[in-house]
Amino acid sequence: MIPAGFDYVRAESAEHALALLAEHGDEAKLLAGGHSLLPLMKLRLAVPGVLVDIAHIDELRYIRVEGDEVAIGALTRDRELERSELLQSEVPLLAHVAAQVGDPQVRARGTLGGSLVHGDSASDLPTAVLALGGSLVIQGPAGTRTVAAGDFFQGFFTTAVGEDELLTEIRLPRTGGLGWAYEKFTRRANDWPIVSAAVVDGRVALANSGPTVLRAAATEAALASGASNADAAAVADEGTSPSADMHGGVEYRRHLTRTLVGRALDTASA
Ligand SMILES: Cc1cc2nc3c(=O)[nH]c(=O)nc-3n(C[C@H](O)[C@H](O)[C@H](O)COP(=O)(O)OP(=O)(O)OC[C@H]3O[C@@H](n4cnc5c(N)ncnc54)[C@H](O)[C@@H]3O)c2cc1C
């Protein structure tokens, strides 16, 4: 459980981080909170030659209202999301979900951007961002582009962020007045979801139900055509492809999906 040797360099700004990525090519890996990358390095599933530490780039740590959206710097830590009064009133789902991630030590270091780019289908924050219908700002050698959350999660641990790019900002619609809910099922406290469901503004997103976090499309279509919460929840596992593991089989997960979506829809519409 000891990582292979690597060089370490600390980036002082977003521009500096991009220059370091360009300089070191596919040898380099960005280090934010390190809570996903370092375990991979210890297992030798990731063997970067150079770690570019972006954790100290304060220009990418903020939460502010911009028009009808809230803009969040990618290096904002989970603990800051959880405690932000602005988020609690403007995007309460995200503040609530941030408080569900791991334990206080994890939340003190883990960043929103790191969780999104890591792209684990079993993660809490990506599920919330997908349900919120946010967009993600990516900076790279070719300039800056904005990607809808629905296009960001592209496959198993694969997102729209290229190896020479930096996720800089997450933009979320202000949903403070709308009903929302997050239902997360775990066997132990402080753990990743076996399945979770986030609901807000007619969108329903699921964790651990396929290779990426995904929308419960059949439920959303049923709701849009006037179905009851119970009927919409009954089709929540359509289009999902959960895997079996030591926490449960495929049918168990499908059952959980329908149950959690039903609970979340009832809470969000109460
Ligand atoms: C004990 C423990 C319990 C946990 N429990 C949970 C849980 O219950 N729920 C949950 O969802 N997660 C959980 N996690 C994961 C945790 O949330 C991670 O911190 C998070 O997934 C990754 O964020 P990070 O900032 O640590 O990213 P890092 O590990 O630093 O980076 C992850 C990946 O993203 C890349 N990256 C990071 N930031 C950027 C950026 N701005 N632009 C481009 N690329 C970037 C890195 O190069 C790396 O590939 C847990 C982790 C631990 C160790």
Side-chain angles (χ1 to χ4, degrees):
M1 296 291 273
I2 298 173
F6 56 86
D7 289 332
Y8 169 92
V9 51
R10 181 167 157 159
E12 303 299 342
S13 65
E15 293 298 334
H16 188 207
L18 287 170
L20 289 166
L21 285 181
E23 181 185 339
H24 295 288
D26 48 8
E27 274 287 282
K29 203 90 181 123
L30 297 174
L31 175 74
H35 277 309
S36 293
L37 181 56
L38 295 182
L40 288 182
M41 289 170 63
K42 288 180 178 176
L43 293 168
R44 310 263 174 142
L45 293 172
V47 191
V50 182
L51 277 189
V52 175
D53 186 354
I54 55 173
H56 308 280
I57 304 178
D58 285 340
E59 69 184 88
L60 296 181
R61 269 175 89 181
Y62 54 84
I63 304 172
R64 59 184 177 234
V65 170
E66 289 185 7
D68 54 4
E69 293 183 314
V70 171
I72 306 173
L75 288 171
T76 306
R77 296 182 181 171
D78 302 346
R79 200 82 170 128
E80 294 162 337
L81 302 174
E82 173 189 352
R83 292 182 169 182
S84 162
E85 287 180 12
L86 190 153
L87 271 190
Q88 284 162 14
S89 70
E90 300 293 344
V91 195
L93 172 66
L94 193 73
H96 174 83
V97 171
Q100 315 284 310
V101 174
D103 50 36
Q105 289 95 328
V106 170
R107 298 199 292 276
R109 295 291 304 177
T111 66
L112 177 56
S115 182
L116 292 168
V117 178
H118 184 58
D120 184 350
S121 134
S123 283
D124 293 292
L125 290 166
T127 314
V129 169
L130 187 61
L132 285 159
S135 54
L136 299 103
V137 182
I138 299 168
Q139 211 174 316
T144 299
R145 62 201 171 98
T146 302
V147 176
D151 298 324
F152 185 79
F153 304 103
Q154 298 187 336
F156 188 65
F157 288 95
T158 308
T159 70
V161 180
E163 298 219 325
D164 54 355
E165 293 183 315
L166 185 66
L167 174 64
T168 54
E169 186 173 89
I170 296 87
R171 303 187 67 87
L172 301 171
R174 295 167 70 180
T175 50
L178 301 174
W180 59 272
Y182 189 60
E183 288 286 338
K184 170 175 175 175
F185 189 83
T186 59
R187 286 199 191 283
R188 302 175 304 193
N190 306 330
D191 212 349
W192 285 264
I194 295 175
V195 172
S196 71
V199 170
V200 65
D201 201 15
R203 282 181 298 268
V204 182
L206 302 172
N208 228 351
S209 297
T212 67
V213 289
L214 49 89
R215 298 266 292 274
T219 292
E220 292 181 359
L223 289 173
S225 63
S228 67
N229 287 345
D231 287 347
V235 294
D237 61 317
E238 269 184 29
T240 66
S241 51
S243 307
D245 63 16
M246 65 179 176
H247 298 300
V250 170
E251 265 319 305
Y252 173 70
R253 281 195 152 86
R254 287 185 179 279
H255 171 75
L256 265 182
T257 300
R258 295 189 296 268
T259 304
L260 296 179
V261 167
R263 286 182 195 163
L265 289 175
D266 285 346
T267 303
S269 58

Coordinates of all heavy atoms in Angstrom, one line a residue, residues 60-118:
L60 N -9.9 29.4 -7.0 CA -10.9 28.4 -7.4 C -11.7 27.9 -6.2 O -12.3 26.8 -6.2 CB -10.2 27.2 -8.1 CG -9.6 27.5 -9.4 CD1 -9.0 26.3 -10.1 CD2 -10.5 28.2 -10.4
R61 N -11.7 28.7 -5.1 CA -12.5 28.3 -3.9 C -13.5 29.4 -3.6 O -13.1 30.4 -3.0 CB -11.6 28.1 -2.7 CG -11.1 26.7 -2.5 CD -10.1 26.6 -1.4 NE -10.7 26.4 -0.1 CZ -10.0 26.3 1.0 NH1 -8.7 26.4 1.0 NH2 -10.6 26.0 2.1
Y62 N -14.7 29.3 -4.0 CA -15.7 30.3 -3.8 C -17.1 29.8 -4.0 O -17.3 28.7 -4.7 CB -15.5 31.5 -4.7 CG -15.5 31.2 -6.2 CD1 -16.6 31.1 -6.9 CD2 -14.2 30.9 -6.8 CE1 -16.6 30.7 -8.2 CE2 -14.2 30.5 -8.1 CZ -15.4 30.4 -8.9 OH -15.4 30.0 -10.2
I63 N -18.1 30.4 -3.4 CA -19.5 30.1 -3.7 C -20.2 31.5 -3.8 O -20.1 32.2 -2.8 CB -20.1 29.3 -2.5 CG1 -19.3 28.0 -2.2 CG2 -21.6 29.0 -2.8 CD1 -19.8 27.3 -0.9
R64 N -20.7 31.8 -4.9 CA -21.3 33.1 -5.1 C -22.5 33.0 -6.1 O -22.6 32.2 -7.0 CB -20.3 34.1 -5.6 CG -19.6 33.8 -6.9 CD -18.6 34.8 -7.2 NE -17.9 34.5 -8.4 CZ -16.5 34.3 -8.6 NH1 -15.8 34.6 -7.5 NH2 -16.0 34.0 -9.7
V65 N -23.5 34.0 -5.8 CA -24.6 34.1 -6.7 C -24.2 34.9 -8.0 O -23.6 35.9 -7.8 CB -25.8 34.7 -6.0 CG1 -26.9 35.1 -7.0 CG2 -26.3 33.8 -4.9
E66 N -24.6 34.3 -9.1 CA -24.4 35.1 -10.4 C -25.7 35.0 -11.2 O -25.9 33.9 -11.8 CB -23.2 34.5 -11.2 CG -21.9 34.8 -10.5 CD -20.6 34.4 -11.3 OE1 -20.8 34.0 -12.4 OE2 -19.6 34.5 -10.7
G67 N -26.5 36.0 -11.1 CA -27.8 36.0 -11.8 C -28.7 34.9 -11.3 O -28.9 34.8 -10.0
D68 N -29.2 34.0 -12.1 CA -30.1 33.0 -11.6 C -29.3 31.7 -11.3 O -29.9 30.6 -11.2 CB -31.2 32.7 -12.6 CG -30.7 32.5 -14.0 OD1 -29.5 32.4 -14.2 OD2 -31.6 32.3 -15.0
E69 N -28.0 31.8 -11.2 CA -27.2 30.6 -10.9 C -26.3 30.9 -9.7 O -26.1 32.0 -9.3 CB -26.3 30.2 -12.1 CG -27.0 29.8 -13.3 CD -26.0 29.4 -14.4 OE1 -25.1 30.1 -14.7 OE2 -26.3 28.3 -15.0
V70 N -25.9 29.8 -9.1 CA -24.8 29.8 -8.1 C -23.5 29.3 -8.7 O -23.6 28.2 -9.3 CB -25.2 29.1 -6.8 CG1 -24.0 29.0 -5.9 CG2 -26.4 29.7 -6.1
A71 N -22.5 30.0 -8.6 CA -21.2 29.6 -9.2 C -20.3 29.1 -8.0 O -20.2 29.8 -7.0 CB -20.5 30.7 -9.9
I72 N -19.7 27.9 -8.2 CA -18.9 27.3 -7.2 C -17.5 27.0 -7.8 O -17.4 26.3 -8.8 CB -19.5 26.0 -6.6 CG1 -21.0 26.3 -6.1 CG2 -18.7 25.5 -5.5 CD1 -21.7 25.1 -5.7
G73 N -16.5 27.5 -7.1 CA -15.1 27.1 -7.6 C -14.9 25.6 -7.4 O -15.2 25.0 -6.4
A74 N -14.1 25.0 -8.3 CA -14.0 23.6 -8.3 C -13.2 23.1 -7.1 O -13.4 21.9 -6.7 CB -13.2 23.1 -9.6
L75 N -12.4 24.0 -6.5 CA -11.6 23.5 -5.3 C -12.3 23.8 -4.0 O -11.7 23.7 -2.9 CB -10.2 24.2 -5.4 CG -9.4 23.5 -6.5 CD1 -8.1 24.3 -6.7 CD2 -9.1 22.1 -6.2
T76 N -13.6 24.2 -4.1 CA -14.4 24.3 -2.8 C -14.5 23.0 -2.1 O -14.8 22.0 -2.8 CB -15.7 24.9 -3.2 OG1 -15.5 26.1 -3.9 CG2 -16.5 25.3 -1.9
R77 N -14.2 23.0 -0.9 CA -14.2 21.7 -0.1 C -15.6 21.3 0.3 O -16.5 22.1 0.5 CB -13.3 21.8 1.1 CG -11.9 22.0 0.5 CD -10.8 22.1 1.6 NE -9.5 22.3 1.0 CZ -8.4 22.6 1.6 NH1 -8.4 22.7 2.9 NH2 -7.3 22.8 0.9
D78 N -15.8 20.0 0.5 CA -17.1 19.5 0.9 C -17.6 20.2 2.2 O -18.8 20.5 2.3 CB -17.1 18.0 1.1 CG -16.6 17.2 -0.1 OD1 -16.6 17.8 -1.2 OD2 -16.2 16.0 0.1
R79 N -16.7 20.4 3.1 CA -17.1 21.0 4.4 C -17.6 22.4 4.1 O -18.5 22.9 4.8 CB -15.9 21.1 5.3 CG -16.1 21.2 6.7 CD -16.5 19.9 7.3 NE -16.6 20.0 8.8 CZ -17.6 19.6 9.5 NH1 -18.7 19.1 8.9 NH2 -17.6 19.7 10.8
E80 N -17.0 23.1 3.2 CA -17.5 24.5 2.9 C -18.9 24.5 2.2 O -19.7 25.3 2.4 CB -16.5 25.2 2.0 CG -15.1 25.4 2.7 CD -13.9 25.7 1.8 OE1 -14.0 25.3 0.6 OE2 -13.0 26.3 2.2
L81 N -19.1 23.5 1.4 CA -20.4 23.3 0.7 C -21.5 23.1 1.8 O -22.5 23.7 1.8 CB -20.4 22.2 -0.2 CG -19.5 22.2 -1.4 CD1 -19.6 20.8 -2.2 CD2 -19.7 23.3 -2.3
E82 N -21.1 22.2 2.7 CA -22.0 21.8 3.8 C -22.4 22.9 4.7 O -23.6 23.1 5.1 CB -21.3 20.7 4.6 CG -22.0 20.2 5.8 CD -21.1 19.3 6.6 OE1 -20.0 18.9 6.1 OE2 -21.4 18.9 7.8
R83 N -21.4 23.8 5.0 CA -21.7 24.9 5.9 C -22.1 26.2 5.3 O -22.4 27.1 6.0 CB -20.4 25.1 6.7 CG -20.0 24.0 7.6 CD -18.7 24.3 8.4 NE -18.5 23.3 9.4 CZ -17.5 23.3 10.3 NH1 -16.6 24.3 10.2 NH2 -17.4 22.4 11.2
S84 N -22.1 26.3 4.0 CA -22.4 27.5 3.3 C -23.9 27.9 3.5 O -24.8 27.2 3.1 CB -22.1 27.4 1.8 OG -22.8 28.4 1.1
E85 N -24.1 29.1 4.2 CA -25.5 29.6 4.3 C -26.1 29.9 3.0 O -27.3 29.8 2.7 CB -25.5 30.7 5.3 CG -25.3 30.3 6.7 CD -25.3 31.4 7.7 OE1 -25.7 32.5 7.4 OE2 -24.9 31.2 8.9
L86 N -25.2 30.4 2.1 CA -25.7 30.8 0.7 C -26.3 29.6 0.0 O -27.4 29.6 -0.5 CB -24.6 31.4 -0.1 CG -24.9 32.1 -1.4 CD1 -23.9 33.2 -1.7 CD2 -25.0 31.1 -2.5
L87 N -25.5 28.5 0.1 CA -26.0 27.2 -0.6 C -27.2 26.7 0.1 O -28.2 26.2 -0.5 CB -24.9 26.1 -0.5 CG -23.9 26.1 -1.7 CD1 -23.1 24.8 -1.5 CD2 -24.6 26.1 -3.0
Q88 N -27.2 26.8 1.5 CA -28.4 26.2 2.2 C -29.7 26.9 1.8 O -30.7 26.3 1.7 CB -28.2 26.4 3.7 CG -27.2 25.3 4.3 CD -26.7 25.7 5.6 OE1 -27.2 26.6 6.3 NE2 -25.6 25.1 6.0
S89 N -29.6 28.2 1.4 CA -30.8 28.9 1.0 C -31.0 28.8 -0.6 O -32.1 28.7 -1.0 CB -30.8 30.3 1.4 OG -29.9 31.1 0.8
E90 N -29.9 28.8 -1.3 CA -30.1 28.9 -2.8 C -30.0 27.5 -3.5 O -30.7 27.3 -4.5 CB -29.0 29.8 -3.4 CG -29.0 31.2 -2.9 CD -30.2 32.0 -3.3 OE1 -30.9 31.6 -4.3 OE2 -30.5 33.0 -2.7
V91 N -29.2 26.6 -3.0 CA -29.2 25.2 -3.6 C -29.1 24.2 -2.4 O -28.1 23.6 -2.2 CB -27.9 25.1 -4.5 CG1 -28.1 23.8 -5.4 CG2 -27.7 26.3 -5.4
P92 N -30.2 24.1 -1.7 CA -30.1 23.3 -0.4 C -29.8 21.9 -0.7 O -29.1 21.3 0.2 CB -31.5 23.5 0.2 CG -32.4 24.1 -0.9 CD -31.5 24.8 -1.8
L93 N -30.1 21.3 -1.8 CA -29.8 19.9 -2.1 C -28.3 19.7 -2.0 O -27.8 18.7 -1.4 CB -30.3 19.5 -3.5 CG -29.9 18.1 -4.0 CD1 -30.5 17.0 -3.1 CD2 -30.3 17.9 -5.4
L94 N -27.5 20.6 -2.6 CA -26.1 20.4 -2.6 C -25.4 20.4 -1.2 O -24.6 19.6 -0.9 CB -25.4 21.4 -3.6 CG -23.9 20.9 -3.9 CD1 -23.9 19.7 -4.8 CD2 -23.1 22.1 -4.4
A95 N -25.9 21.4 -0.4 CA -25.4 21.5 0.9 C -25.7 20.3 1.7 O -24.9 19.7 2.5 CB -25.9 22.8 1.6
H96 N -26.9 19.8 1.6 CA -27.4 18.6 2.3 C -26.5 17.4 1.9 O -26.1 16.6 2.7 CB -28.8 18.4 2.0 CG -29.4 17.1 2.6 ND1 -29.8 17.0 3.9 CD2 -29.6 15.9 2.0 CE1 -30.2 15.8 4.1 NE2 -30.1 15.1 3.0
V97 N -26.3 17.2 0.6 CA -25.6 16.1 0.1 C -24.1 16.1 0.5 O -23.5 15.1 0.8 CB -25.8 15.9 -1.5 CG1 -24.8 14.9 -2.0 CG2 -27.2 15.6 -1.8
A98 N -23.6 17.3 0.5 CA -22.2 17.4 0.9 C -22.0 16.9 2.3 O -20.9 16.3 2.6 CB -21.7 18.9 0.8
A99 N -23.0 17.1 3.2 CA -22.9 16.6 4.6 C -23.0 15.1 4.7 O -22.7 14.6 5.7 CB -24.0 17.3 5.4
Q100 N -23.3 14.4 3.6 CA -23.4 13.0 3.6 C -22.1 12.3 3.1 O -22.1 11.1 3.1 CB -24.5 12.5 2.6 CG -25.8 13.3 2.7 CD -26.6 12.9 3.8 OE1 -26.9 11.7 4.1 NE2 -27.1 13.9 4.6
V101 N -21.2 13.1 2.7 CA -19.9 12.5 2.1 C -19.0 12.0 3.3 O -18.6 12.9 4.1 CB -19.2 13.4 1.2 CG1 -17.9 12.9 0.7 CG2 -20.1 13.8 0.0
G102 N -18.7 10.8 3.3 CA -17.6 10.3 4.3 C -17.8 10.8 5.7 O -18.9 10.9 6.2
D103 N -16.6 11.1 6.3 CA -16.6 11.7 7.6 C -16.0 13.1 7.6 O -15.6 13.6 6.5 CB -15.8 10.7 8.5 CG -14.4 10.4 7.9 OD1 -13.8 11.3 7.3 OD2 -14.0 9.2 8.1
P104 N -15.9 13.8 8.8 CA -15.5 15.1 8.7 C -14.0 15.3 8.1 O -13.8 16.3 7.5 CB -15.5 15.5 10.2 CG -16.6 14.7 10.8 CD -16.5 13.4 10.1
Q105 N -13.2 14.3 8.4 CA -11.8 14.4 7.8 C -11.9 14.4 6.3 O -11.1 15.1 5.6 CB -10.9 13.2 8.3 CG -10.5 13.3 9.8 CD -11.5 12.5 10.6 OE1 -12.7 12.4 10.3 NE2 -11.0 12.0 11.7
V106 N -12.7 13.5 5.7 CA -12.8 13.4 4.3 C -13.4 14.8 3.7 O -12.9 15.3 2.8 CB -13.7 12.3 3.9 CG1 -14.1 12.3 2.4 CG2 -13.1 10.9 4.2
R107 N -14.4 15.3 4.4 CA -15.1 16.5 3.9 C -14.2 17.7 4.1 O -14.3 18.7 3.4 CB -16.4 16.7 4.7 CG -17.4 15.6 4.4 CD -18.8 15.9 4.7 NE -19.1 16.2 6.1 CZ -19.4 15.2 7.0 NH1 -19.4 14.0 6.6 NH2 -19.6 15.5 8.3
A108 N -13.3 17.7 5.0 CA -12.3 18.8 5.2 C -11.3 18.9 4.1 O -10.8 20.0 3.9 CB -11.6 18.6 6.5
R109 N -11.1 17.9 3.4 CA -10.1 17.9 2.3 C -10.7 17.7 0.9 O -10.2 18.3 -0.1 CB -9.0 16.8 2.5 CG -8.2 16.9 3.7 CD -7.2 18.1 3.6 NE -6.4 18.0 2.4 CZ -5.5 19.0 2.1 NH1 -5.3 20.0 2.9 NH2 -4.7 18.9 1.1
G110 N -11.7 16.8 0.8 CA -12.3 16.5 -0.5 C -12.9 17.7 -1.1 O -13.5 18.6 -0.5
T111 N -12.8 17.8 -2.5 CA -13.3 19.0 -3.2 C -14.5 18.6 -4.1 O -14.5 17.4 -4.5 CB -12.2 19.6 -4.0 OG1 -11.8 18.7 -5.1 CG2 -11.0 20.0 -3.2
L112 N -15.3 19.5 -4.4 CA -16.4 19.3 -5.3 C -15.9 18.9 -6.7 O -16.3 17.9 -7.3 CB -17.3 20.5 -5.5 CG -18.5 20.4 -6.5 CD1 -19.4 19.2 -6.2 CD2 -19.3 21.7 -6.5
G113 N -14.9 19.6 -7.2 CA -14.3 19.3 -8.5 C -13.7 17.9 -8.5 O -13.8 17.2 -9.5
G114 N -13.0 17.6 -7.5 CA -12.3 16.3 -7.4 C -13.3 15.1 -7.5 O -13.1 14.2 -8.2
S115 N -14.4 15.3 -6.8 CA -15.4 14.3 -6.8 C -16.1 14.1 -8.2 O -16.3 13.0 -8.7 CB -16.5 14.6 -5.7 OG -17.5 13.6 -5.7
L116 N -16.3 15.3 -8.8 CA -16.9 15.2 -10.2 C -16.0 14.6 -11.2 O -16.4 13.7 -12.0 CB -17.3 16.6 -10.6 CG -18.5 17.2 -9.7 CD1 -18.6 18.7 -10.0 CD2 -19.8 16.5 -10.0
V117 N -14.7 15.0 -11.2 CA -13.8 14.6 -12.2 C -13.4 13.1 -12.0 O -13.2 12.3 -12.9 CB -12.5 15.4 -12.3 CG1 -11.5 14.9 -13.3 CG2 -12.8 16.9 -12.6
H118 N -13.3 12.7 -10.7 CA -13.1 11.3 -10.4 C -14.1 10.4 -11.1 O -13.8 9.3 -11.6 CB -13.0 11.1 -8.9 CG -12.7 9.7 -8.5 ND1 -11.5 9.1 -8.8 CD2 -13.3 8.8 -7.7 CE1 -11.4 7.9 -8.3 NE2 -12.6 7.7 -7.6

